């Protein structure tokens, strides 16, 4: 019945996990003692930051049109949604 089925399942579980336990107990000499997890994310961040800074100062591209578009967009939003009294006078 169910008891023999569970007993068979646990026997399979013990047998299948036994090789893993013995393999983990024996240390291998060809493995490094640590994993380097800082180098590539650091280099990626440094590279992306350098490219963005180069675009910003104009060394990567000569087109500053994106700056002008962004300033126009900000000016439009500022004057359309929260105009100060001088902006209201200028539009009258």
């Amino acid at each position: 019945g169910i008891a023999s089925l569970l007993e068979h399942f646990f026997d399979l579980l013990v047998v299948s996990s036994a090789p893993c336990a013995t393999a983990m107990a024996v240390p291998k000499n060809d493995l490094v003692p640590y994993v380097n997890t800082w180098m590539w994310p650091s280099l990626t961040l440094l590279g992306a930051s350098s490219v963005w800074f180069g675009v910003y100062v104009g060394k990567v591209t000569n087109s500053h049109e994106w700056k002008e578009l962004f300033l126009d967009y900000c000016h439009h939003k500022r004057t359309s949604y929260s105009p100060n009294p001088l902006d209201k006078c200028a539009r009258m």
Side-chain angles (χ1 to χ4, degrees), residues 10-23:
F10 286 122
D11 286 342
L12 286 175
L13 186 64
V14 170
V15 169
S16 65
S17 65
C20 295
T22 57

Side-chain angles (χ1 to χ4, degrees), residues 20-62:
C20 295
T22 57
M24 290 175 66
V26 178
K28 293 187 175 184
N29 294 332
D30 61 340
L31 298 177
V32 294
Y34 65 93
V35 177
N36 190 355
T37 58
W38 64 268
M39 187 178 74
W40 290 113
S42 300
L43 291 178
T44 302
L45 182 62
L46 179 68
S49 300
S50 300
V51 168
W52 279 116
F53 182 74
V55 169
Y56 177 73
V57 298
K59 297 296 180 184
V60 176
T61 62
N62 290 328

Side-chain angles (χ1 to χ4, degrees), residues 53-58 63-74:
F53 182 74
V55 169
Y56 177 73
V57 298
S63 173
H64 292 284
E65 186 178 358
W66 66 273
K67 291 181 190 175
E68 294 173 9
L69 289 173
F70 182 69
L71 286 174
D72 289 343
Y73 174 76
C74 290

